[in-house]
Amino acid sequence: MIPKATTLGELRKDVEAGRVARRPVKSEIRDNLIAKLRSGETLFPGIIGYDDSVVPQVVNAVLSRHNFILLGLRGQAKTRILRAMTSLLDEWLPVVPGCEIHDDPLAPLCAACRARVRAEGDALPIAWLGREARYVEKLATPDVTIADMIGDLDPIKAARASLELSDELTMHYGLIPRANRGIFAINELPDLAGKIQVGLFNILQEGDVQIKGYPVRLPLDLQVVFSANPEDYTARGKIITPLKDRIGSEIRTHYPASRQQAMQITRQEAWTARGSAAAELVIPDYVREVVEEVAFQARQDQKIDKRSGVSQRLPISLLENVISNAERRALAAGERVTVPRITDVYAAIPAITGKFELEYEGELKGADTVARDLIRAAVSLVYDGWYPSADMRQVTEWFDLGGNLQVDDALPAAELLKRTGQVQGLHDAAREGAGKKPSDPALASAVDFVLEGLYAHRKISRSTEGQFQAAEQVKQRTARAAEPLGVERDLPLTGGKKKYYN
Ligand SMILES: [Zn+2]
């Protein structure tokens, strides 16, 4: 509901009577935060896993009326937290209508608004600005100029109005003045050129700045928040010391601490409710766990650059791509239930490889191989959680005795179940993971999980094309036993199939 006052006179009465609060933006944010803390309301809905770490520190920074910086690797919800600060602003703010810097009708900064107040007095119409319009965000890049950030002098405007160049009427405002009485967020602060940082500091500290050699006075009222990668931020010379000094709190963000929290984030962010009339989508928990574990594995892998990090966007895009691969199979097979499989995670490698930077060793192996290894390690861990003490000897023996199976991500559920039905004990084991009365696609997915789990543990081997066979060492043993002494062989061939190891 927009407040009632429509003129400066009415606003003045409301402010005097305490019906409309009037204070600097940092106090406003602090007051609203205090009210939320008192009522026990969730401060930042949708921010998961920061309740005991980042959120209390942000609260302290706001209570201290600090400008603050979030330091963290990519994909740690930094921008999201900064944007959520908007919810701590008053719902409506009285402004002089049309003023580019959202002047306070009771104390306008710019000459134009001051002139209007002088001319119209208490009859001056006022406008109410919603909180969403009071958040301005800028991604810092080296080519950002003072004109972009603070503004520029317009000599033509000055000449026409026969004004001094330093008169603010001749100014074309940049982003920071336009954020006046609101929140200004700068992402990747270290990428801002040194002289822009100086300008920023002057505006924050002194309320004035030099533009093209002319001093311009702009005592702005701002809550400034920043984000940066810790590596860039701490590197010497990237941030000018006086500006760093003006940032009251440095808050470190982090990746989700547990697989469960990470799954919750991915569940919230990934596009899974596709509303396709064709099929019902059922995502097994082990698929969600493997998708998440891929990111955890990547974050600790020596072949992946730690400084650039592995964003939470990896599991989010991965899950979306996994679902799409399952969708594609279900559509081709005319299945009514879409159930993603572990095989679909391998098919979704394009959603993984772009999400990290490789170290030299990783470059040598290639992004695809690195991704494949990550999935395999993830499957191995998740499988252990699902089948901690399962005896799969029956299944592995079938392969050891020379059995082989062709199972790939395109195989319809019914066909997969038919092919794997001959492996004793496999369907029984799969039923443990598939839940009660599984549909064919759900059981097929669970069978695939068991096979992939055994492969991840090297109990059986699998080619990239989905050919499951006995484990490497077993095959070598059988081949050696069968080999007549003194006879040279080319390649050990089992079942006449060409072997693809990975
Ligand atoms: Zn104004």
Side-chain angles (χ1 to χ4, degrees):
M1 209 176 52
I2 296 190
K4 279 198 217 92
T6 56
T7 64
L8 177 56
E10 286 167 12
L11 176 67
R12 196 189 308 282
K13 271 186 209 139
D14 283 351
V15 169
E16 278 163 9
R19 287 188 294 269
V20 170
R22 178 168 174 264
R23 63 269 204 248
V25 63
K26 281 181 181 158
S27 302
E28 170 187 340
I29 290 175
R30 181 187 140 89
D31 287 355
N32 290 327
L33 177 72
I34 289 172
K36 286 193 183 213
L37 288 172
R38 283 218 177 96
S39 71
E41 199 178 317
T42 306
L43 293 177
F44 303 114
I47 307 270
I48 296 161
Y50 281 172
D51 289 355
D52 303 319
S53 51
V54 177
V55 171
Q57 295 184 6
V58 170
V59 168
N60 291 350
V62 169
L63 292 176
S64 309
R65 298 197 302 190
H66 282 169
N67 295 320
F68 64 86
I69 184 162
L70 298 178
L71 294 181
L73 299 176
R74 59 177 167 169
Q76 294 187 341
K78 298 190 294 291
T79 310
R80 201 181 179 124
I81 295 171
L82 298 185
R83 286 181 189 157
M85 290 288 292
T86 313
S87 65
L88 297 174
L89 293 167
D90 286 347
E91 213 176 338
W92 299 101
L93 180 80
V95 294
V96 178
C99 175
E100 288 176 328
I101 61 170
H102 303 151
D103 257 326
D104 178 0
L106 292 163
L109 286 181
C110 80
C113 289
R114 286 202 307 268
R116 285 189 68 182
V117 169
R118 267 197 307 273
E120 299 170 49
D122 276 1
L124 174 81
I126 62 156
W128 292 91
L129 194 65
R131 56 164 74 117
E132 300 302 326
R134 298 170 62 197
Y135 177 85
V136 177
E137 187 181 282
K138 177 72 186 163
L139 173 68
T141 50
D143 60 344
V144 170
T145 62
I146 284 273
D148 298 331
M149 295 293 271
I150 294 159
D152 208 353
L153 298 170
D154 188 342
I156 297 167
K157 219 165 157 185
R160 277 205 195 116
S162 58
L163 294 164
E164 289 282 324
L165 265 182
S166 57
D167 192 309
E168 60 283 44
L169 271 182
T170 65
M171 183 136 175
H172 175 79
Y173 293 115
L175 288 169
I176 296 178
R178 285 168 196 272
N180 187 33
R181 303 176 75 210
I183 299 168
F184 186 63
I186 302 178
N187 287 317
E188 304 305 332
L189 174 62
D191 286 343
L192 216 52
K195 71 173 184 202
I196 317 291
Q197 293 186 29
V198 172
L200 187 62
F201 163 72
N202 285 336
I203 277 282
L204 290 182
Q205 177 73 349
E206 322 286 349
D208 59 32
V209 68
Q210 285 203 354
I211 297 173
K212 291 183 177 160
Y214 290 92
V216 175
R217 181 137 179 82
L218 278 174
L220 302 172
D221 176 20
L222 287 168
Q223 164 80 56
V224 188
V225 289
F226 305 93
S227 77
N229 183 312
E231 201 74 21
D232 296 343
Y233 187 69
T234 45
R236 207 180 295 163
K238 285 284 189 81
I239 304 223
I240 60 159
T241 315
L243 180 60
K244 213 168 179 174
D245 214 35
R246 285 290 293 162
I247 300 174
S249 298
E250 257 180 43
I251 299 164
R252 297 255 170 180
T253 57
H254 54 82
Y255 288 122
S258 71
R259 198 193 287 162
Q260 285 306 319
Q261 273 176 356
M263 283 166 72
Q264 223 182 314
I265 298 174
T266 301
R267 201 177 275 271
Q268 174 181 284
E269 303 297 325
W271 182 52
T272 55
R274 308 209 160 175
S276 95
E280 178 200 354
L281 173 67
V282 180
I283 309 169
D285 281 343
Y286 50 81
V287 169
R288 288 185 186 273
E289 287 180 35
V290 166
V291 161
E292 219 54 64
E293 193 55 42
V294 169
F296 279 85
Q297 291 296 318
R299 283 172 198 144
Q300 63 188 44
D301 196 303
Q302 294 300 323
K303 296 182 288 302
I304 291 168
D305 180 15
K306 296 259 176 314
R307 284 154 307 179
S308 62
V310 176
S311 165
Q312 190 60 28
R313 284 183 280 272
L314 185 151
I316 294 167
S317 319
L318 179 56
L319 184 63
E320 289 171 343
N321 227 353
V322 163
I323 294 169
S324 299
N325 199 60
E327 219 171 15
R328 197 165 56 87
R329 171 180 57 243
L331 289 168
E335 289 167 352
R336 289 213 319 277
V337 189
T338 303
V339 186
R341 301 176 192 163
I342 300 300
T343 320
D344 297 325
V345 183
Y346 284 97
I349 282 178
I352 302 179
T353 46
K355 300 288 190 302
F356 48 66
E357 304 294 331
L358 291 170
E359 296 283 9
Y360 181 65
E361 196 199 335
E363 295 282 5
L364 289 181
K365 288 194 90 172
D368 268 36
T369 308
V370 171
R372 221 171 273 284
D373 290 349
L374 292 174
I375 299 171
R376 186 173 179 163
V379 173
S380 155
L381 268 176
V382 172
Y383 177 84
D384 285 345
W386 282 72
Y387 294 99
S389 54
D391 183 2
M392 296 287 182
R393 253 177 305 179
Q394 230 185 348
V395 177
T396 51
E397 264 169 19
W398 186 86
F399 290 99
D400 292 350
L401 292 171
N404 67 66
L405 274 178
Q406 176 67 35
V407 175
D408 58 56
D409 64 292
L411 208 60
E415 179 60 26
L416 186 146
L417 292 175
K418 202 175 112 196
R419 283 191 201 176
T420 54
Q422 49 181 324
V423 186
Q424 287 230 329
L426 179 55
H427 282 200
D428 293 336
R431 279 201 172 81
E432 283 179 48
K436 283 189 191 114
K437 291 193 183 165
S439 62
D440 271 8
L443 186 59
S445 168
V447 167
D448 174 83
F449 178 38
V450 172
L451 289 173
E452 288 294 338
L454 293 173
Y455 160 67
H457 279 290
R458 297 174 208 279
K459 301 278 191 214
I460 56 178
S461 65
R462 165 167 77 52
S463 70
T464 354
E465 288 78 14
Q467 179 82 23
F468 286 97
Q469 292 180 332
E472 210 73 15
Q473 62 273 36
V474 179
K475 272 187 294 182
Q476 279 164 9
R477 219 182 299 134
T478 6
R480 219 174 293 129
E483 181 189 337
L485 282 168
V487 175
E488 277 190 65
R489 306 174 282 124
D490 294 299
L491 275 169
L493 296 171
T494 314
K497 291 270 179 189
K498 190 175 177 213
K499 285 195 284 187
Y500 303 90
Y501 300 135
N502 63 344

